[in-house]
Amino acid sequence: MGGNSFGNLFRITTWGESHGKALGVVIDGCPSGMELSEEEIQKEMDRRRPGQGPGASPRKERDRIEILSGLFKGKTTGTPISLLVRNEDVDSSPYEEWKEVFRPGHADFTYQAKYRIRDYRGGGRASARETAGRVAAGAIAKKILSQEKINILAYTQELGGIRADRVNLGEVERNFFRCPDPQAALAMEKRIEEVKLEGDTLGGIVGILVQGCPPGLGEPVFDKLEADLARALMSIGAIRGVEIGAGFRAARMLGSECNDPLGPDGFEKNDSGGILGGISNGEDILLRVAVKPIPSIRLEQRTIDSSMRPTRLKMKGRHDVSAIPRINSVCEAMAAIVLVDHLLRQKAIERQ
Amino acid sequence: MGGNSFGNLFRITTWGESHGKALGVVIDGCPSGMELSEEEIQKEMDRRRPGQGPGASPRKERDRIEILSGLFKGKTTGTPISLLVRNEDVDSSPYEEWKEVFRPGHADFTYQAKYRIRDYRGGGRASARETAGRVAAGAIAKKILSQEKINILAYTQELGGIRADRVNLGEVERNFFRCPDPQAALAMEKRIEEVKLEGDTLGGIVGILVQGCPPGLGEPVFDKLEADLARALMSIGAIRGVEIGAGFRAARMLGSECNDPLGPDGFEKNDSGGILGGISNGEDILLRVAVKPIPSIRLEQRTIDSSMRPTRLKMKGRHDVSAIPRINSVCEAMAAIVLVDHLLRQKAIERQ
Amino acid sequence: MGGNSFGNLFRITTWGESHGKALGVVIDGCPSGMELSEEEIQKEMDRRRPGQGPGASPRKERDRIEILSGLFKGKTTGTPISLLVRNEDVDSSPYEEWKEVFRPGHADFTYQAKYRIRDYRGGGRASARETAGRVAAGAIAKKILSQEKINILAYTQELGGIRADRVNLGEVERNFFRCPDPQAALAMEKRIEEVKLEGDTLGGIVGILVQGCPPGLGEPVFDKLEADLARALMSIGAIRGVEIGAGFRAARMLGSECNDPLGPDGFEKNDSGGILGGISNGEDILLRVAVKPIPSIRLEQRTIDSSMRPTRLKMKGRHDVSAIPRINSVCEAMAAIVLVDHLLRQKAIERQ
Amino acid sequence: MGGNSFGNLFRITTWGESHGKALGVVIDGCPSGMELSEEEIQKEMDRRRPGQGPGASPRKERDRIEILSGLFKGKTTGTPISLLVRNEDVDSSPYEEWKEVFRPGHADFTYQAKYRIRDYRGGGRASARETAGRVAAGAIAKKILSQEKINILAYTQELGGIRADRVNLGEVERNFFRCPDPQAALAMEKRIEEVKLEGDTLGGIVGILVQGCPPGLGEPVFDKLEADLARALMSIGAIRGVEIGAGFRAARMLGSECNDPLGPDGFEKNDSGGILGGISNGEDILLRVAVKPIPSIRLEQRTIDSSMRPTRLKMKGRHDVSAIPRINSVCEAMAAIVLVDHLLRQKAIERQ
């Protein structure tokens, strides 16, 4: 129970360090008989790939996914699916310089406190690279959901303080930032370029939309659908807040404003975000997450080393300016894994 | 796996409906040899008791907790602790009138969709009364934590749009609203009285502060401390959003602002909220949750009945105007249960 | 994770000590919409009731089961079912005399070693009385199974060295010992009476037969159906061995003898005991368990006290001569709980 | 929850098919700071390697283990350890001939019933090759235990009806059959050669001895140490029965014979097998398992194909005559994994 597994009936276990030999994920509980190929999974992997677009570090890394088990003649067999990505051509030497230094905003200090040993190369297990396994597993989860006509879309609502004012979901796949407002996307690009020159980084807000979710998913009282989604999303390193439906806005609403009236055609509005009492109500599920700026900045920072001596850290390396939009695919993956799990749980108890 | 258990090494299972015979909780994994009494637990129970203060419904219900197992001569034995609260003098007749009607903002529609049967009396299992078991278990968790000098305090940051501008934690226990700003508490009381007359309800924001947490709690990567806390808090019916540290503010920060520098005396500020990479760093843990207004309002609402026919609902009954401050003790309980669980998990792997 | 829960999708949590206020069980994951009454559960409870038949202690205890939650208008609602049995008129005074003495064959020594405190009254949590909760939960599990035409029968194959030579299952319910051979039942009765006079106790062997189990239940590789059944049965205090199908006989068979040939009408024999590769094959499931003699004997025994000083123990009290046949209903209950759990797990992944 | 994970605090997840690309295991929860090398694990792997000794098939397969994560500078880091074995030079063509035929004694029929698809090459996931991951993880578990002075030894008590009459554990590592009686080992070799010529196979009995286990491990009531051990061992494909201590012999004992008296130097005998009330008592833990003959025989067998048509199966291929002694290392591995898990669980709740 080292915390590296997630899910109940559909359970993933990720492993691997940023600069270790490889990373991977084992998916247990995938139903049998579903067609699946490395290409399909690779497509999702490529979405979270660094070194793309403005604000990205120029690394050319491409994570090649390999399916090692669980498939036969192109179909899932119901046995565990093991997926592997080799770490190739990783240069760990830049990390040697700072191996005794706790980088602010990173997990260096806490891993050391917990385990008394840590793989300091590239952040080790705490690296965002760990999410490669999540995205690979999420590709499978999304395929299962799509067969049930459930779709998940993560999009950028805000980046570096620039908000998408107009939400046209058709635009999301059309710009690099996955922003539903093309005007805002242009402003985001400009903001990214500025901050990149300064050696600083940016955060933002990602919206996650689930369409087609049937009513009945989610288990009261602790495994409420929004509770499991919140855990799933908050388990992504950069995420610092999660909202469902009206979220923090609900704190200032009156009950008469916040309640969604029902009519013969369903709910008349959706401030509940598609979940009532922990169970999906058939409306769109709407979540928002706060993404903090990437902690690896090029500006000089005050910190201490492992002997608790004050020091100054000035990282060179090349890092992305923002986890957005790469994190969007991780959000989609985690939401998809939660939904598949609850879909299977509901199937188990459903009366025909 | 019906979702009624929470925790791993310290695991609670709650059961019971609002208007059933009784409610309760079983706590499994409580270490042996700790003194414990019904009075201690009762004290916490009384904090979440309805029918107190302004804005409260005038019910005089007092939940008498009974310890049925797990203690011997006043000490825990390491075996499961079963706690029971009888439901006495409950009048379910007002619910008969609306038994076929889905109340907006409630779980009526979704329970019906999921289970095809529901106990409509007082909201059944979806009632806030379910949290009685959480608070009872939380009293035990808080006692374990206090022995390790870890303390948890939930306080009201905002209610009905009125914010606590000055935060003086010493004030929290001194006013009914558990507000750290006595001026704001007076304004909250006024707002509550107004809204009560209108038959409407209010939401707000609760802050949760954990002091004395040692570094090292939390398990990467999925069981990050903030992820488990988020799930714990989002599993409380009225909560619609959770933030850790800077939370949604982090989305607009630069990396150089958001990172907490380290000095010889520890972290120089605490925008991380006491958790880095999913592991506690020894600083205070700071969480904020959004509480939606209570959905039971006296104003007329549009809805449908179980035959999908439109109807109008006008509830009489007596309901609180806000889940705050009663929900504060539930927040404390859930946070405490998560922390005890991670404390035990850390003990299991710690090197001496 | 104190070990007091069992099952995954259908999960039970038992609590309570032999001489505490009450005992009980919470069942989480029971599908909704099933008719259920206290009477049905009581019927199973009465089967495991002590103080009946030859060899029994003359106590007149009757465990009255009370359903506290999870039902509405006589039907399950999908929420947790809490069952309670009050301990009435228990006289703990005989245990005061031996409170510092470790009774041989009992868990006194090990509970003390593990928890450094123990409820010595009537064996506390380690008492066979703990199985009351299992039988109550098993009654519900058996009802679910019977709706799928799966039936479970535990019967006495051997008691005090006397074997049922002829197996006529129709006889099982006709004699006190649940023995399929009425001749053997008479000999068992005689043997019990002899040993009772001597102040000694007896063990035996119980067979468990599951009829009507469909193919496909059980999850490779660790949650094999026989592995989960073995755990379930070995978790009953008195059980010291478990076999499936040919069991220990298989150790002396040739492969050509042990393999069950398949014909157009199914398997031609059943040495596999209805499970292949951890998955049910549609044949009867056949298990056998070894039951040790009850450790509470009236003969004098050498032992030590909590200061590690040698002493002699001579218990008075009244105890059954054998756990058989009472334990049979516990075996049925545990097998039923495992099967319901796997039935739900299979439903979750089954393709329509 | 496809059943491919085992353990709680120390949890392993195995994956991979017999003729797939690779097999492996992920170990989550291994404490940090322990030295570990591929060589150590490889040593255990080589013990379960087929193609050795009399009665073995002449395959020259050697499973090369590769550590992919969880280590840094030769020490465990507390993060998941991923171990991989590539399947090299596997010839699946012999399986094409029988791909529609259900081999008696194998899991062909049940995997087809459960999943409606199966990887028929070499038994797929149901192959004994799956245990490679268990043995690799077991090597780590055994190292953790050895640091606590707990040792595990599996030895052959019986093979093909030939019993080890004299038990001299010093002999176990000195003969191929891991038999504590060298005379019996010679007779076993002869018996194996005979049966090999006949194209048939043999079963036997393996004893598992745990020395040095401290008192206090095991969690009442469902996670009794013997219950978890029974599940662990019964989850090994060939095992059909498990006994603890006196086991099935206890069924014929009197209580006065079966109880182990206590003296100032501890228990005076060990019919309980080192566990009382589900908790270790500090004595040796003694288990016995029944191993069925390998179902792959060269003799002709009656069976059916996937269209339910009767057919005759005559397998060529080369198979071992008995799972013994290879299975011994799998038994050791599974017992070790259970003990490490309970060791960590006990550390979590232990009072200092």
Side-chain angles (χ1 to χ4, degrees), chain D residues 92-295:
Chain D
S92 305
S93 58
Y95 292 92
E96 292 296 326
E97 184 182 350
W98 304 110
K99 69 180 176 180
E100 299 294 338
V101 173
F102 300 132
R103 293 169 300 157
H106 279 280
D108 300 345
F109 177 85
T110 51
Y111 269 63
Q112 190 67 38
K114 186 176 188 71
Y115 300 114
R116 303 199 195 169
I117 181 175
R118 76 194 157 91
D119 181 348
Y120 50 76
R121 301 166 305 164
R125 182 78 182 138
S127 164
R129 238 182 109 57
E130 176 269 330
T131 60
R134 303 185 185 213
V135 170
I140 297 173
K142 285 166 79 172
K143 180 149 190 186
I144 297 170
L145 293 178
S146 73
Q147 295 180 337
E148 309 271 339
K149 313 247 180 285
I150 305 172
N151 288 297
I152 298 183
L153 182 80
Y155 58 95
T156 303
Q157 293 193 345
E158 202 175 306
L159 177 54
I162 294 153
R163 260 178 73 175
D165 286 319
R166 270 162 295 184
V167 173
N168 179 350
L169 294 179
E171 294 290 336
V172 170
E173 303 286 351
R174 291 207 192 104
N175 63 74
F176 172 78
F177 291 103
R178 302 187 57 78
C179 181
D181 176 345
Q183 286 300 108
L186 289 173
M188 286 172 186
E189 181 164 352
K190 217 180 128 201
R191 184 80 186 108
I192 284 269
E193 297 293 357
E194 284 167 18
V195 168
K196 188 179 186 174
L197 287 174
E198 293 162 10
D200 218 329
T201 56
L202 292 172
I205 294 174
V206 172
I208 299 135
L209 171 69
V210 182
Q211 294 174 306
C213 182
L217 304 198
E219 302 284 331
V221 294
F222 296 111
D223 299 357
K224 287 189 167 83
L225 193 53
E226 69 268 46
D228 279 2
L229 286 164
R231 180 189 158 210
L233 293 164
M234 283 288 259
S235 79
I236 305 170
I239 290 183
R240 306 271 84 199
V242 182
E243 294 183 314
I244 173 90
F248 277 86
R249 272 196 306 119
R252 295 184 183 172
M253 284 173 149
L254 292 165
S256 56
E257 291 174 292
C258 190
N259 286 350
D260 299 327
L262 278 118
D265 302 325
F267 292 88
E268 296 183 355
K269 65 184 186 61
N270 190 10
D271 275 318
S272 74
I275 304 176
L276 280 169
I279 303 169
S280 62
N281 66 7
E283 301 294 312
D284 289 350
I285 295 174
L286 303 163
L287 295 152
R288 274 159 50 92
V289 296
V291 179
K292 74 169 186 178
I294 285 177

